[in-house]
Structure formats: C-alpha cells, structure tokens
Amino acid sequence: FFRQYVQLTGISGTLCEVADEIHHVYDRLLVQAPSHLASQRIDIQGMVFTDRATQLNFLVNDVQQRQALKQPVLVCTRSVEQSLGVSAMLTAHGLPHQVLNAYQDAEEAAIVAAAGKAGQITVATNMAGRGTDIPLDAAVAGSGGLHVASLAFNDARRLDRQLAGRAARQGNPGSYQRLLNLDDPYLIEAMPAVLRQIARFCVEQGWQQAALVIMHGTQRRLEYKHGKERLRLYQSRDKLERQLAFGGRPDHIT
C-alpha cells in the first residue's frame, strides 16, 4: 500500500522557496520538520558596496577584528576566480588562510575539518563543503562560533540559505552576513542598468536598506525567470513522453 502511493520522497533544508514548484511538478507537498536544537545563528544585516575594492577592504577589516577574537571565518565566493582574488587580498594583508575550490578536491575533508578551529580563515566557493558539519573547537563558542561572510550574488534565496546554514549547525553559535558589490559581473548581467544606478546612488547616500531591497528584487526576478524555464522544460518533456506513449513506445524516457 505504501509503495503504491508514495513513489517519490526527499529531504532538504532549503526547499521552502520552491514548495509550489515541487507540488506542481511532482505532486508532493512540503512538510517542515522543526529543528532538533534551536538555532543560535546571528544574521547580520547585509552590506552593498559600489565596487569590489571597497567590498574586499571591508572584508579584510572585519576578518582582522574577528582574528583578534580568535573567531573562525568562512568566506564564501561564487567562483574559483573570485576565491583566488580574495585569497590574494588576504595574503597581501598577512592573513594566513586555507582555500577550498575546484583545485583542492582531494584536500576538501581536511580543510573543512580545520575550518572551525580558533582563528582559522577559510575561503571557499559556493559548492565546496556544502552541507557539511564544520566541527568547532571548544574555545570557539565563546568567541561567537563560525562566522560566514558571503561575497556572492546568488540567483536564488535557497543558495543564500545554504551558505548561511554552514554556520551555527547542530545548535552551535555562529553568524552570517552578505557582502555584495555592484561591480559583480553576474549582478551586472542580471540587473538592468537603471536599477544599478539607483542602487549605487542609495549606497553612496548610506541608504543600505534601500540598496538591499533592490538586490532582493533582482534575486526574486531571477528566481521567477528560472522557475518558468524549468516549468517549460518539464512541460516539453511531459509532451514528448505522451507522444512516445501514443506511438507505442514506453511511457517514460530512460
């Protein structure tokens, strides 16, 4: 009976934003299970900068302050190129760190295991170390736990929540902050020029909340666009399956 009616199940910590899509495509409802332990993560209001240099200068100053407290920091980047740029900036300021991107696949487990040590700085891409519990030193809890700084403009809120979820796992303390810049090539491609000009004006005037609203709006539009693209792909596949079934072929595509 159970196998007859339940053919697809899954679990994830970041499905809320696509609950309607899951129901429409897979005919499955999303059920939220409460966390075993209450989250202690502190979500710090994000910052928007006019250019990459200002963004990285803020990051370096923030990392230096956290280093003084022996707080571990995980810097999340969108690409290997961005991770190498951040690494070069940290090196220039005498901040020892580890880099985790496509070039360190073999060392990933060891780098992740060390990312929670007191004073450790780790630079990683979005994909590297995703969904992994980063063990914290006993002394780290008193300094605020792991701090995650995201430099990536992502096209979905799910990705931001995945990055935030690397901090304060299993009831541990931690913090998260987005540090975005208007010169990000991906943002330039995604945001109309007029909106970038308005966002730049807001940043220059110190209106950070207004700039963040514009960024969030751009992200929502990308989510909607990509959702429509996935729906069209699903509809095309469904149509093809029905045509093959009508022609006497199996009603599924392997």
Side-chain angles (χ1 to χ4, degrees), residues 57-72:
N57 283 331
F58 180 92
L59 172 70
V60 168
N61 290 333
D62 187 52
V63 169
Q64 288 174 332
Q65 293 177 23
R66 297 181 187 280
Q67 274 272 288
L69 300 173
K70 298 298 182 181
Q71 182 180 14

Side-chain angles (χ1 to χ4, degrees), residues 43-98:
D43 292 323
I44 305 171
Q45 179 176 298
M47 298 284 292
V48 182
F49 304 91
T50 56
D51 53 69
R52 179 173 176 268
T54 309
Q55 176 197 43
L56 292 182
N57 283 331
F58 180 92
L59 172 70
V60 168
N61 290 333
D62 187 52
V63 169
Q64 288 174 332
Q65 293 177 23
R66 297 181 187 280
Q67 274 272 288
L69 300 173
K70 298 298 182 181
Q71 182 180 14
V73 177
L74 174 64
V75 182
C76 296
T77 62
R78 182 178 180 86
S79 64
V80 172
E81 180 183 7
Q82 188 180 32
S83 70
L84 295 178
V86 172
S87 175
M89 187 73 167
L90 294 175
T91 299
H93 285 79
L95 293 169
H97 58 280
Q98 291 282 344

Side-chain angles (χ1 to χ4, degrees), residues 153 181-193 196 200:
F153 173 77
N181 88 79
L182 295 174
D183 283 346
D184 186 319
Y186 189 75
L187 181 62
I188 292 175
E189 181 181 347
M191 181 182 287
R196 281 194 291 112
R200 185 177 299 275

Side-chain angles (χ1 to χ4, degrees), residues 7-72:
Q7 300 175 0
L8 174 68
T9 58
I11 185 170
S12 172
T14 55
L15 289 179
C16 292
E17 294 85 358
V18 291
D20 291 340
E21 185 176 343
I22 290 174
H23 178 62
H24 178 79
V25 174
Y26 300 107
D27 193 25
R28 292 292 179 267
L29 296 176
L30 181 67
V31 177
Q32 289 186 270
S35 301
H36 177 61
L37 298 171
S39 175
Q40 297 189 52
R41 188 179 72 231
I42 298 174
D43 292 323
I44 305 171
Q45 179 176 298
M47 298 284 292
V48 182
F49 304 91
T50 56
D51 53 69
R52 179 173 176 268
T54 309
Q55 176 197 43
L56 292 182
N57 283 331
F58 180 92
L59 172 70
V60 168
N61 290 333
D62 187 52
V63 169
Q64 288 174 332
Q65 293 177 23
R66 297 181 187 280
Q67 274 272 288
L69 300 173
K70 298 298 182 181
Q71 182 180 14

